[in-house]
C-alpha cells in the first residue's frame, strides 16, 4: 500500500514487536534505511520530507521506540513537515503488567507531539488511516501523524489494500478576493510583503509580484530563497532584528504569505505594523489571529500569487521604498550580526562561494547557523533546513542524511556544533554505510557558546557550558568517514569542494582558530 502511495524509502529500526512491518518491503521495491537510534530515524524522515516534498515515513517499535522518535515528531510538528510514523503497540495494557516495552498510554504520549495519533485495530482501519494521513499532508498545512498497530494484528492476515484514492485538489484563490486584494495593493505607496516557509513553492510568482508592485519584503528563516538574491527592496531574513519593527511601522499595507509570524521568527510579540494586512495561509488557526480589519485568504500561496500577478497586468509600480535606504539598513544589520558572533560572517561568505548553488543545507542549533541564517542568501527556497520551532540539538546530521537519500547525486551539506554532534553522532555510520558524499561542517568552539553568552547577559556566572569533547577527526575515521581539519579559509573551501566528490561522508572539523 505504501509503495502505491509513492513511498520509496522507509527509515527505522526493526525489533521483535514490529518485525512483521518488514515482511515484503523488498518485494514492494521500498528501500529501508537502518538508523542507529529512533531519534535519528525520525530526523532522517524529516530531512527526506523537506528535500523531496513527499512524506517521510518511519518504522519504530513499541514503547522506547515511540518515545525516542517523539523529539523528531515534535520538530516536524513545529515546522509543518509531513512525517508518518508507524509503530507497533501492545494488544493489552490495562489488565496486564510487566510486558516488554510496556507504556501506560503510548497513543496519548505520541499525540502530544504530532497532529494526531490513532490505533488501527483492523487492516481496513490501518488502510483508511494511512490514506487520511496522505490526504491531509496534501490538503492542509502538513504535520506529522502517528499510527500504531497491535502486534496481534500485525501478525494476522489481511486483504490487499484498496487502490489509491483521487488526490485532493489544493484550495485555490477566489477571483473576487483577488480583485479586492489588487485594489488594496495598488493603492498602497509602501506595501510590505512577508514570506514564510508555506510560500516556498511560490517563488517564481512571488518575485514577479514584488517587481510589479514595487514592494519591499522580508522572509522568515524558512522562507529564504523565495525573494531573489540581490532584490534591491529585500530586507532579507532579518525579522528577528529589533529594528525590523520600525520598517514594518513605515508600511501602509502588509501582506503575510505562508507565515504565522511565530516567536522564533520575530523574537517579539508583533511584527510592528499599524496598517491593514492581507493574510494568505492554509491554516485556519493562523487566519483566526488576523485583526478585524485585515483581509484573510485561505488558499494555496502559489495559486494566490500567480492569480494576483495575472490580475496586476498593466499596473505600473509606484513605491516610496528606496533601494539605497534598504541597502543601508541591511548593511547595518549585517554588521550587528558580525559583532554579536565575531568572525562567523566572513566564513559564511567563503562557504557560500564554495558550494554549488543548488546545495541543500541542514543546520543545527549552533552559533554558526544563527549567524548564517541572517547573512547567507539563498538562490532558491526550500534549500536550507533548520530545527526552527522545537529547536532540537542533533538535528542536522541525520536530517542531512535523509535529504541526501532523497537527492542522490545532488549536493547536500550539514552544519552542526560540537555539542549538538554528540546527540546523534552515531548516525555517521549510516552515511558511511550508504556511501553518501556528505560534507559535515562541525563548528567546535569548545563550549555551549550561545548559552554562555546568554548567562553572561543575565549576570549569571557561566556554569555547565563546557564539556569534554573527543578527537572528532579520529572518531569520524573510526566510523569509516573521511575527516579533515582546515587551517585557513581557503583550506575550508577546498575541503568542502572535495567532500562533494568523495565516496562517503567527510567531517570538516572547524574551530575559531581558522579565523586567524
Amino acid at each position: 500500500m505504501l509503495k502505491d502511495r509513492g513511498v520509496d524509502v522507509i527509515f527505522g529500526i526493526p525489533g521483535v514487536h514490529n518485525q512483521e512491518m518488514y515482511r515484503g518491503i523488498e518485494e514492494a521495491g521500498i528501500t529501508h534505511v537502518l538508523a542507529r537510534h529512533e531519534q535519528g530515524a525520525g530526523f532522517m524522515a524529516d530531512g527526506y520530507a523537506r528535500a523531496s516534498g513527499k512524506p517521510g515515513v518511519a518504522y519504530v517499535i513499541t514503547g522506547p521506540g515511540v518515545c525516542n522518535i517523539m523529539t523528531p515528531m515534535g520538530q516536524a510538528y513545529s515546522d509543518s513537515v509531513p512525517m508518518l510514523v508507524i509503530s507497533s503497540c501492545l494488544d493489552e495494557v490495562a489488565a496486564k503488567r510487566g510486558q516488554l516495552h510496556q507504556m501506560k498510554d503510548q497513543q496519548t504520549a505520541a499525540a502530544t507531539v504530532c497532529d494526531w495519533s490513532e490505533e488501527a485495530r483492523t487492516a481496513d482501519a490501518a488502510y483508511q488511516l494511512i490514506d487520511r494521513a496522505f490526504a491531509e499532508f496534501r490538503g492542509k498545512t502538513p504535520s506529522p501523524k502517528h499510527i500504531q498497530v497491535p502486534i496481534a494484528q500485525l501478525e494476522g492476515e489481511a486483504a490487499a489494500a484498496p487502490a489509491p484514492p483521487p488526490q485532493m485538489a489544493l484550495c485555490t484563490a477566489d477571483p473576487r478576493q483577488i480583485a479586492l486584494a489588487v485594489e488594496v495593493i495598488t493603492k498602497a505607496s509602501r506595501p510590505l510583503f512577508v514570506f514564510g516557509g508555506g510560500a516556498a513553492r511560490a517563488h517564481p510568482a512571488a518575485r514577479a509580484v514584488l517587481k510589479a508592485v514595487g514592494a519591499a519584503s522580508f522572509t522568515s528563516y524558512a522562507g529564504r530563497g523565495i525573494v531573489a538574491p540581490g532584490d534591491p527592496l529585500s530586507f532579507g531574513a532579518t525579522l528577528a532584528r529589533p529594528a525590523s519593527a520600525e520598517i514594518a511601522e513605515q508600511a501602509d499595507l502588509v501582506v503575510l504569505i505562508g507565515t504565522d509570524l511565530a516567536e522564533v521568527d520575530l523574537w517579539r510579540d508583533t511584527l510592528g505594523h499599524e496598517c491593514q494586512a492581507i493574510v494568505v495561509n492554509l491554516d485556519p488557526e493562523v487566519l483566526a489571529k488576523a485583526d478585524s480589519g485585515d483581509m484573510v485568504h485561505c488558499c494555496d500561496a502559489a495559486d494566490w500569487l500567480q492569480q494576483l500577478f495575472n490580475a496586476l497586468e498593466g499596473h505600473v509600480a509606484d513605491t516610496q521604498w528606496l533601494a539605497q535606504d534598504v541597502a543601508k539598513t541591511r548593511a547595518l544589520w549585517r554588521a550587528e550580526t558580525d559583532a554579536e558572533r565575531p568572525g562567523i560572517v566572513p566564513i559564511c561568505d567563503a562557504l557560500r562561494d564554495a558550494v554549488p548553488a543548488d546545495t541543500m543545507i541542514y543546520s543545527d542549533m549552533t552559533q554558526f547557523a544563527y549567524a548564517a541564517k541572517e547573512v547567507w542568501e539563498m538562490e532558491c527556497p526550500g534549500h536550507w533546513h533548520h530545527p526552527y520551532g522545537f529547536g532540537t540539538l542533533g538535528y542536522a546530521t541525520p536530517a542531512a542524511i535523509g535529504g541526501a537519500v532523497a537527492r542522490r547525486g545532488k549536493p547536500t551539506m550539514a552544519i552542526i556544533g560540537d555539542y549538538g554532534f554528540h546527540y546523534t553522532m552515531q548516525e555517521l555510520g549510516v552515511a558511511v554505510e550508504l556511501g553518501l558524499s556528505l560534507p559535515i561542517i562541525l563548528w567546535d568552539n569548545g563550549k555551549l557558546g550561545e548559552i554562555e553568552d546568554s548567562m553572561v547577559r543575565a549576570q549569571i556566572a557561566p556554569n555547565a557550558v563546557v564539556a569534554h569533547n573527543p578527537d572528532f577527526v579520529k572518531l569520524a575515521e573510526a566510523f569509516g568517514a573521511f575527516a579533515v581539519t582546515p587551517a585557513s579559509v581557503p583550506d575550508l573551501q577546498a575541503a568542502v569542494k572535495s567532500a562533494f566528490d568523495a565516496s562517503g561522508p567527510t567531517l570538516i572539523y572547524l574551530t575559531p582558530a581558522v579565523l586567524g
Side-chain angles (χ1 to χ4, degrees):
M1 180 189 188
L2 291 172
K3 181 67 174 179
D4 287 345
R5 270 69 178 167
V7 176
D8 51 15
V9 179
I10 294 171
F11 302 90
I13 302 175
V16 292
H17 279 187
N18 73 342
Q19 65 185 17
E20 284 293 337
M21 288 154 56
Y22 285 78
R23 190 185 297 276
I25 283 185
E26 293 181 1
E27 290 87 342
I30 294 176
T31 298
H32 181 271
V33 174
L34 176 63
R36 302 308 190 252
H37 188 282
E38 287 89 359
Q39 187 177 69
F43 286 146
M44 288 176 201
D46 174 299
Y48 176 91
R50 298 194 200 207
S52 67
K54 301 194 301 182
V57 180
Y59 277 1
V60 296
I61 61 162
T62 318
V66 173
C67 288
N68 286 341
I69 205 170
M70 282 174 61
T71 296
M73 289 167 69
Q75 188 62 63
Y77 183 75
S78 69
D79 289 350
S80 301
V81 177
M83 180 195 298
L84 177 59
V85 175
I86 303 179
S87 76
S88 52
C89 67
L90 294 172
D91 303 309
E92 171 59 52
V93 294
K96 188 176 181 181
R97 298 294 187 212
Q99 301 175 81
L100 179 64
H101 302 328
Q102 185 165 9
M103 291 178 65
K104 290 177 67 177
D105 192 341
Q106 174 179 291
Q107 182 182 340
T108 299
T112 62
V113 287
C114 64
D115 188 24
W116 49 256
S117 173
E118 300 289 354
E119 182 171 324
R121 298 175 184 173
T122 66
D124 286 343
Y127 298 153
Q128 290 176 32
L129 287 169
I130 288 172
D131 275 337
R132 173 188 166 190
F134 277 77
E136 291 179 6
F137 288 146
R138 175 173 171 79
K140 66 176 190 177
T141 302
S143 200
K145 330 286 183 185
H146 168 244
I147 300 171
Q148 62 181 34
V149 187
I151 298 168
Q153 299 303 320
L154 286 174
E155 295 173 347
E157 294 185 356
Q167 283 197 340
M168 293 175 58
L170 290 174
C171 183
T172 57
D174 184 335
R176 293 169 297 180
Q177 287 190 310
I178 291 291
L180 290 173
V182 168
E183 183 180 348
V184 172
I185 290 170
T186 53
K187 287 181 179 178
S189 59
R190 281 182 175 268
L192 178 65
F193 281 62
V194 181
F195 298 97
R201 296 188 308 105
H203 70 286
R207 295 177 181 184
V209 165
L210 290 175
K211 185 176 181 180
V213 174
S217 67
F218 284 93
T219 71
S220 69
Y221 295 135
R224 290 157 64 208
I226 295 174
V227 180
D231 184 317
L233 296 182
S234 168
F235 288 97
T238 52
L239 288 169
R241 292 283 125 196
S244 70
E246 299 172 14
I247 303 298
E249 191 177 8
Q250 297 174 27
D252 58 357
L253 175 70
V254 168
V255 185
L256 307 172
I257 307 177
T259 177
D260 58 1
L261 294 181
E263 177 187 82
V264 293
D265 294 323
L266 300 176
W267 296 110
R268 59 181 183 271
D269 293 334
T270 64
L271 179 63
H273 64 291
E274 298 179 356
C275 58
Q276 183 184 26
I278 299 173
V279 185
V280 182
N281 209 292
L282 282 171
D283 191 341
E285 183 179 344
V286 173
L287 298 174
K289 293 188 293 186
D291 292 336
S292 58
D294 293 343
M295 300 171 63
V296 296
H297 296 225
C298 185
C299 58
D300 175 63
D303 177 71
W304 189 87
L305 282 162
Q306 187 60 56
Q307 287 201 42
L308 180 69
F309 177 70
N310 295 341
L312 285 167
E313 185 176 2
H315 173 69
V316 178
D318 183 17
T319 179
Q320 292 182 14
W321 296 110
L322 298 177
Q324 58 265 37
D325 291 342
V326 175
K328 183 179 179 181
T329 299
R330 291 201 65 173
L332 174 62
W333 291 347
R334 177 183 170 89
E336 289 178 356
T337 301
D338 192 26
E340 290 165 357
R341 301 179 177 94
I344 294 178
V345 169
I347 297 183
C348 290
D349 293 341
L351 261 180
R352 187 177 186 273
D353 290 342
V355 303
D358 63 337
T359 300
M360 187 164 285
I361 299 169
Y362 292 82
S363 60
D364 213 78
M365 302 295 286
T366 174
Q367 286 187 319
F368 193 98
Y370 303 153
K373 288 187 299 176
E374 291 197 357
V375 302
W376 189 314
E377 284 201 292
M378 302 299 295
E379 298 289 339
C380 55
H383 276 60
W384 188 300
H385 306 292
H386 185 81
Y388 297 107
F390 213 39
T392 53
L393 280 162
Y395 169 83
T397 302
I401 291 171
V405 168
R407 286 166 42 90
R408 283 282 192 173
K410 296 181 180 180
T412 302
M413 184 170 75
I415 298 174
I416 193 165
D418 57 306
Y419 202 80
F421 190 69
H422 279 270
Y423 278 54
T424 52
M425 66 172 69
Q426 68 275 3
E427 305 305 340
L428 189 58
V430 180
V432 171
E433 197 168 80
L434 298 177
L436 301 177
S437 304
L438 177 67
I440 301 172
I441 309 292
L442 196 159
W443 174 250
D444 184 3
N445 58 6
K447 62 180 74 173
L448 288 164
E450 192 74 5
I451 307 307
E452 182 182 67
D453 291 348
S454 180
M455 284 180 165
V456 171
R457 288 193 298 269
Q459 299 183 5
I460 299 170
N463 188 284
V465 294
V466 177
H468 174 72
N469 281 333
D471 184 325
F472 287 114
V473 170
K474 289 182 178 178
L475 179 71
E477 291 173 344
F479 272 107
F482 301 103
V484 62
T485 304
S488 65
V489 170
D491 285 351
L492 169 63
Q493 292 176 311
V496 170
K497 291 176 181 178
S498 296
F500 284 121
D501 296 325
S503 58
T506 302
L507 184 77
I508 301 173
Y509 181 66
L510 188 63
T511 70
V514 81
L515 301 176

